């Protein structure tokens, strides 16, 4: 076994100097080899090709058949870069899977640490090389030479004779070291050239990117200036990216989407709920911010996500307001797609904000118009003429619905409460958004009816459903439906009646649901006199004799008889009993209350008494 390092080589060279003519001949070979390498470098742009040529020339100089070249990377690890074998040709692909200086490879580490050649005559008996690697490559003797530049090892060259012994003389080792020093200079220059080429390519790429973004900016800006809708902008983004684009709101509902015509998509490729619930996806979306506005959600086949999604945050007035998604279909997602999504998100945020401001202005104008209608502050003819511009047709009959709001929960503003009422009413009625106005403690909505129609029986149930649906977010005390309004002059009176009914309900602390102005009838006149306590006393006195002797049957029969306007047959049908049963019960009622329940006067008094007791919660 023989080991040669730089410190060992020099003394031997001094002790046994080869003939000057032989040394000069070998040096001329080195110069000739580098002349060929320099010529090749002019036409070769790939660093790997130049490294392979370096190794190949060293093999020819030393009379061996194989070499492998390793480069130092920024993490100080030496990875395979190129290789050559006389019998196999280019073996760079196999070398590039290797790494030098790893655990168990003392041979490579010694070359790196000493920055000098290291020779192993008998690999099988030397403990320093990585055993399995040497067996795999069938190495018998090997010379490791460092490529040293400015005192730092920047690469390694290993040479050997495949499966054959080879004797490396001191002159071979010295020649290899000289070749490596020149090679390091050449390599460093080549690396600098490659770095400059990469920089130049990056400058060109950035220039192209800026030109692309300028084109994107111009097209998006022109579209907005031309009055393009949000859908048009999303379609333009799809054309510019040549990929599907989806606009989500904050709850991941699709607001708009577009796909290039060639993809023939009928539904938007969305992020499904099961995908969004993945911890990795939740972290990715949560990490989006002003400094990191976009990120890629990777494919996750386990939950059915077969394509990558580039997601970009929309921020409106400092608040997260949705996402723009670009889906990887066809061409892979690139850096320019991120820039396109971010630019598109900015334009869409401004456009959504503009539409929101416009809607608020239109809503305020509509609210002002409704206020004029309710308070009779404009000429009737002018109100009719202006109504179409606010989406109101005063030639149709309408009713007013007053939602009386209790003490607010604190997180819903007046305008937000009005919007909630409008949205829920529109959904329940199947109509476009009705006009509504906010008043202190109330929201009044204008509900259109079919032409020449009375208040439908189903409207009470509809308003009750709206009240119930809004109860989690709005504290609605009562909801009152006005009489039908058929002309502008009817609305101020209907508005006044709604106020009176609400005040009446509040005086009885009634929060039972929905009232209509018509159903209170005579009781409104009594209540308007301010004698509410006397009215309650009257009701109790009127019904009292019946309560003392009844289990509830007679009272329910009397209520049904009043609702049926004194008709025995209708009362029997409602209660599901025979007419004679109704007559028998009415006879018992007559005896207990000492008055005939079938007379008009008694019917009116009973109706008034029942209304009072209902409002009082009895």
């Amino acid at each position: 076994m023989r080991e040669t390092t730089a410190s060992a080589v020099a003394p031997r060279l001094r002790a046994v100097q080869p003939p000057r003519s032989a040394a000069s001949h070998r040096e001329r070979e080195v110069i000739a080899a580098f002349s060929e390498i320099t010529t090749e470098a002019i036409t070769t742009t790939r660093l790997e090709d130049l490294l392979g040529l370096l190794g190949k020339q060293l093999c020819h100089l030393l009379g061996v058949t194989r070499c492998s070249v390793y480069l130092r990377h920024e993490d100080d690890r030496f990875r395979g870069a190129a290789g050559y074998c006389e019998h196999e040709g280019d073996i760079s692909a196999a070398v590039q899977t290797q790494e030098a200086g790893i655990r168990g490879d003392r041979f490579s580490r010694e070359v790196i640490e000493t920055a000098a050649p290291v020779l192993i005559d008998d690999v099988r008996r030397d403990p320093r090389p990585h055993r399995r690697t040497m067996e795999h490559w069938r190495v018998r003797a090997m010379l490791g030479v460092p490529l040293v530049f400015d005192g730092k090892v920047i690469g390694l060259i290993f040479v050997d004779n495949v499966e054959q012994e080879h004797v490396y003389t001191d002159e071979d080792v010295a020649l290899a070291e000289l070749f490596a020093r020149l090679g390091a200079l050449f390599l460093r220059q080549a690396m600098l050239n490659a770095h400059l080429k990469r920089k130049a390519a990056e400058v060109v790429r950035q220039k192209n990117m800026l030109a692309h973004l300028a084109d994107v900016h111009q097209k998006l800006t022109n579209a907005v200036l031309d009055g393009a809708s949000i859908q048009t902008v999303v379609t333009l983004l799809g054309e510019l990216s040549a990929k599907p684009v989806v606009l989500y709101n904050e709850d991941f509902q699709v607001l708009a989407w577009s796909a290039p015509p060639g993809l023939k998509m009928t539904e938007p490729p969305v992020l499904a709920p099961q995908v969004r619930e993945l911890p990795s996806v939740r972290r990715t979306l949560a990490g989006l911010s002003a400094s990191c506005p976009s990120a890629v959600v990777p494919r996750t086949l386990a939950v059915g996500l077969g394509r990558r999604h580039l997601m970009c945050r929309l921020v409106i007035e400092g608040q997260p307001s949705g996402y723009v998604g670009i889906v990887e279909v066809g061409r892979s997602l690139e850096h320019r797609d991120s820039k396109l999504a971010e630019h598109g998100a900015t334009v869409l945020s401004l456009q959504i904000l503009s539409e929101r401001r416009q809607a608020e202005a239109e809503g305020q104008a509509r609210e002002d118009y409704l206020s004029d209608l309710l308070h009779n502050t404009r000429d009737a003819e002018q109100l009719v003429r202006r109504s179409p511009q606010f989406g109101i047709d005063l030639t149709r009959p309408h009713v007013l619905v007053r939602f009386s709001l209790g003490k607010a929960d604190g997180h819903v503003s007046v305008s937000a409460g009005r919007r909630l009422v409008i949205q829920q009413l529109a959904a329940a009625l199947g109509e476009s958004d009705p006009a509504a106005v906010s008043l202190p403690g109330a929201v009044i909505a204008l509900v259109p009816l079919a032409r020449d129609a009375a208040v439908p029986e189903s409207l009470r149930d509809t308003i009750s459903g709206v009240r119930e649906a809004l109860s989690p977010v709005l504290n609605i005390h009562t909801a009152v439906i006005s009489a039908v309004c058929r002309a502008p002059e009817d609305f101020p009176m209907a508005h006044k009646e709604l106020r009176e009914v609400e005040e009446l309900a509040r005086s009885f602390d009634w929060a039972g649901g929905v009232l209509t102005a018509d159903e209170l009838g005579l009781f409104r006149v009594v209540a308007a006199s301010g004698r509410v306590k006397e009215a309650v006393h009257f009701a109790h006195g009127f019904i009292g004799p019946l309560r003392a002797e009844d289990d509830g049957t007679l009272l329910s029969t009397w209520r049904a008889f009043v609702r049926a306007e004194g008709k025995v047959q209708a009362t029997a049908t409602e209660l599901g009993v025979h007419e004679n049963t109704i007559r028998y019960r009415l006879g018992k009622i007559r005896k207990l209350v000492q008055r005939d329940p079938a007379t008009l006067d008694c019917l009116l008094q009973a109706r008034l008494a029942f209304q009072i007791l209902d409002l009082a919660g009895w």
Side-chain angles (χ1 to χ4, degrees):
M1 184 185 306
R2 181 162 57 94
E3 175 187 348
T4 303
T5 64
S7 59
V9 170
R12 292 186 184 181
L13 290 177
R14 285 195 298 269
V16 182
Q17 292 288 344
R20 182 62 189 167
S21 59
S24 299
H25 174 70
R26 300 294 300 269
E27 290 174 359
R28 285 196 296 273
E29 288 182 351
V30 171
I31 294 172
F34 272 96
S35 175
E36 184 176 341
I37 293 172
T38 304
T39 302
E40 186 71 18
I42 296 174
T43 57
T44 302
T45 58
R46 295 179 67 245
L47 185 60
E48 291 80 0
D49 293 340
L50 295 176
L51 292 171
L53 184 58
L54 269 175
K56 181 179 179 180
Q57 292 293 63
L58 182 58
C59 286
H60 291 168
L61 286 172
L62 299 179
V64 293
T65 58
R66 183 169 61 186
C67 73
S68 57
V69 184
Y70 292 75
L71 274 186
R72 187 176 204 144
H73 289 257
E74 292 180 356
D75 57 1
D76 287 335
R77 299 171 71 174
F78 288 80
R79 295 185 178 90
Y84 165 77
C85 181
E86 185 177 290
H87 309 298
E88 302 176 34
D90 188 357
I91 59 171
S92 296
V95 173
Q96 287 166 1
T97 64
Q98 304 295 310
E99 185 175 332
I102 58 175
R103 185 177 180 182
D105 180 15
R106 289 159 46 199
F107 173 42
S108 300
R109 290 207 304 272
E110 187 175 340
V111 178
I112 297 168
E113 291 168 0
T114 62
V118 176
L119 173 64
I120 297 181
D121 288 325
D122 191 345
V123 166
R124 288 171 294 185
R125 296 184 180 181
D126 197 298
R128 288 172 295 175
H130 190 271
R131 183 62 48 206
R132 290 185 181 177
T133 302
M134 296 298 102
E135 291 174 354
H136 172 76
W137 290 93
R138 306 187 303 277
V139 179
R140 294 293 178 264
M142 177 173 278
L143 174 62
V145 186
L147 296 166
V148 182
F149 179 82
D150 199 18
K152 183 177 181 180
V153 177
I154 62 172
L156 302 170
I157 301 179
F158 296 99
V159 293
D160 77 293
N161 236 15
V162 183
E163 285 192 299
Q164 295 181 5
E165 304 291 345
H166 184 81
V167 177
Y168 296 87
T169 66
D170 292 342
E171 183 184 349
D172 290 335
V173 174
L175 188 68
E177 186 173 21
L178 174 61
F179 181 90
R181 287 176 182 172
L182 294 174
L185 292 172
F186 181 84
L187 174 60
R188 183 60 178 173
Q189 186 60 46
M191 292 172 68
L192 288 174
N193 290 341
H195 177 72
L196 291 174
K197 289 178 181 177
R198 287 196 300 271
K199 285 292 185 182
E202 178 64 19
V203 169
V204 172
R205 193 187 70 82
Q206 291 289 348
K207 182 179 179 181
N208 292 337
M209 174 67 74
L210 290 174
H212 172 71
L213 291 178
D215 182 55
V216 166
H217 175 77
Q218 182 178 7
K219 289 180 178 178
L220 289 175
T221 302
N222 288 343
V224 173
L225 292 176
D226 290 341
S229 64
I230 289 176
Q231 177 61 59
T232 302
V233 173
V234 171
T235 301
L236 180 57
L237 288 174
E239 294 172 356
L240 291 171
S241 66
K243 295 181 179 65
V245 176
V246 184
L247 175 62
Y248 302 92
N249 66 9
E250 193 63 13
D251 296 323
F252 279 94
Q253 296 172 326
V254 176
L255 302 179
W257 76 283
S258 176
L263 297 179
K264 297 180 180 179
M265 286 186 172
T266 58
E267 294 183 353
V270 300
L271 282 180
Q274 63 268 25
V275 176
R276 301 198 303 270
E277 288 302 315
L278 290 174
S280 59
V281 176
R282 293 173 65 181
R283 284 195 300 271
T284 298
L285 296 177
L288 297 179
S289 63
S291 59
C292 179
S294 63
V296 174
V297 175
R299 295 192 307 162
T300 311
L301 297 179
V303 292
L305 184 64
R307 300 184 177 99
R308 295 196 301 164
H309 286 237
L310 171 65
M311 303 299 293
C312 185
R313 232 337 165 181
L314 266 72
V315 179
I316 301 177
E317 294 185 313
Q319 296 298 319
S321 302
Y323 303 85
V324 171
I326 298 181
V327 185
E328 187 177 60
V329 176
R331 179 177 56 82
S332 298
L333 289 171
E334 299 176 359
H335 180 64
R336 67 176 182 174
D337 291 313
S338 297
K339 295 300 181 184
L340 175 64
E342 292 167 13
H343 199 80
T346 300
V347 171
L348 286 169
S349 296
L350 293 173
Q351 198 166 16
I352 291 171
L353 178 60
S354 174
E355 291 190 3
R356 185 182 296 176
R357 289 284 183 263
Q358 183 178 354
E360 289 175 356
E362 291 174 353
Q364 185 60 52
R366 199 181 193 200
E367 187 173 356
D368 293 342
Y369 172 82
L370 182 54
S371 182
D372 290 340
L373 188 63
L374 298 183
H375 294 93
N376 196 25
T377 54
R378 299 277 183 177
D379 178 76
E381 183 181 346
Q382 183 185 17
L383 289 171
V384 173
R385 187 176 65 253
R386 293 179 61 210
S387 64
Q389 72 185 71
F390 301 106
I392 299 172
D393 182 3
L394 286 185
T395 64
R396 291 177 60 178
H398 291 76
V399 293
L400 298 174
V401 181
R402 182 183 179 104
F403 294 90
S404 174
L405 305 181
K407 189 175 181 180
D409 293 336
H411 64 281
V412 179
S413 65
V414 173
S415 60
R418 184 183 70 251
R419 284 198 301 271
L420 288 172
V421 169
I422 291 172
Q423 292 168 3
Q424 195 63 42
L425 265 177
L429 297 171
E431 297 259 356
S432 57
D433 290 352
V437 62
S438 300
L439 299 174
V443 173
I444 297 180
L446 186 65
V447 177
L449 303 177
R451 294 188 182 277
D452 300 322
V455 179
E457 290 294 330
S458 60
L459 184 58
R460 179 196 289 267
D461 294 334
T462 300
I463 299 303
S464 181
V466 170
R467 178 177 180 270
E468 183 177 350
L470 291 173
S471 60
V473 290
L474 284 180
N475 181 14
I476 298 178
H477 192 270
T478 58
V480 186
I481 304 172
S482 76
V484 178
C485 302
R486 303 181 185 279
E489 297 82 1
D490 297 337
F491 289 97
M493 180 59 69
H495 180 215
K496 179 182 178 184
E497 290 175 345
L498 290 181
R499 266 198 329 268
E500 291 175 352
V501 173
E502 182 189 331
E503 290 172 0
L504 184 61
R506 285 185 180 277
S507 67
F508 281 94
D509 197 23
W510 184 83
V514 180
L515 288 171
T516 64
D518 291 338
E519 72 181 285
L520 293 182
L522 182 60
F523 180 52
R524 285 174 48 218
V525 178
V526 175
S529 68
R531 306 177 67 86
V532 174
K533 291 183 179 180
E534 289 82 351
V536 174
H537 180 73
F538 154 75
H540 279 295
F542 191 82
I543 304 297
L546 191 64
R547 284 183 180 276
E549 301 293 335
D550 184 29
D551 61 356
T553 303
L554 295 180
L555 188 59
S556 63
T557 300
W558 198 2
R559 282 179 175 273
F561 186 66
V562 171
R563 286 195 298 271
E565 298 178 350
K567 298 174 182 176
V568 173
Q569 184 179 7
T571 305
T573 301
E574 180 182 339
L575 297 179
V577 298
H578 196 273
E579 292 179 25
N580 288 337
T581 302
I582 299 300
R583 293 188 181 95
Y584 170 74
R585 293 177 183 176
L586 290 174
K588 292 186 69 175
I589 292 170
R590 185 184 305 111
K591 290 180 180 179
L592 290 171
V593 300
Q594 297 295 311
R595 53 174 61 89
D596 186 357
T599 64
L600 178 59
D601 180 62
C602 189
L603 281 171
L604 289 174
Q605 292 184 66
R607 181 180 181 85
L608 181 60
F610 289 141
Q611 287 177 341
I612 294 170
L613 294 176
D614 287 342
L615 280 173
W618 293 90

